[in-house]
Amino acid sequence: MKNNEISYIEFKAHDLEQIKTFYHSLFGWTFTNYGPTYISFSDSGVYGGFEKTEDPILNGVLVVLYHADLESIKADIENAGGTISKDIFSFPGGRRFHFMDPSGNELAVWSDN
């Protein structure tokens, strides 16, 4: 993977089984379960996942960028006028954080380090 490229797209979903059936039957996507609240998908042209939520879904897409050095890119984002909306946290496969750009769009950056 290369730094600063989009590597993952994350959606919200109310029913993970229904979402799997929908995308598999229409487009042939395949899925990997990561517990009761998360599934990843492949065979779509880009890697991504669905996070289960009970909240209303207003903008259900999270674009996730890759960067090998989370602390460095986090500082760069803040220095450029972005704000951190969710600090660095661990998940199966790596770590990530979320940020808001100056227009209020939320994105995330992850690393496998």
Side-chain angles (χ1 to χ4, degrees):
M1 280 183 242
K2 294 181 182 177
N3 287 345
N4 307 319
E5 289 188 350
I6 296 171
S7 72
Y8 202 80
I9 299 174
E10 194 169 88
F11 296 90
K12 302 285 186 185
H14 292 131
D15 183 326
L16 296 180
E17 290 304 315
Q18 180 184 43
I19 272 303
K20 287 193 307 188
T21 300
F22 180 83
Y23 283 99
H24 179 73
S25 67
L26 288 171
F27 306 115
W29 295 6
T30 56
F31 294 88
T32 302
N33 295 322
Y34 288 98
T37 62
Y38 199 86
I39 56 174
S40 68
F41 61 82
S42 54
D43 300 321
S44 67
V46 64
Y47 291 103
F50 289 92
E51 178 185 25
K52 182 175 174 54
T53 183
E54 300 300 325
D55 297 333
I57 300 172
L58 302 175
N59 180 7
V61 179
L62 179 67
V63 174
V64 183
L65 305 165
Y66 178 84
H67 201 283
D69 185 346
L70 286 185
E71 286 75 14
S72 172
I73 194 64
K74 178 183 167 197
D76 290 347
I77 288 167
E78 291 175 308
N79 289 335
T83 57
I84 304 307
S85 56
K86 187 180 289 188
D87 208 356
I88 295 172
F89 64 94
S90 296
F91 65 92
R95 301 180 309 137
R96 80 180 197 195
F97 68 90
H98 295 203
F99 70 94
M100 306 294 278
D101 72 14
S103 292
N105 297 298
E106 185 174 33
L107 290 86
V109 182
W110 84 282
S111 177
D112 47 6
N113 296 322

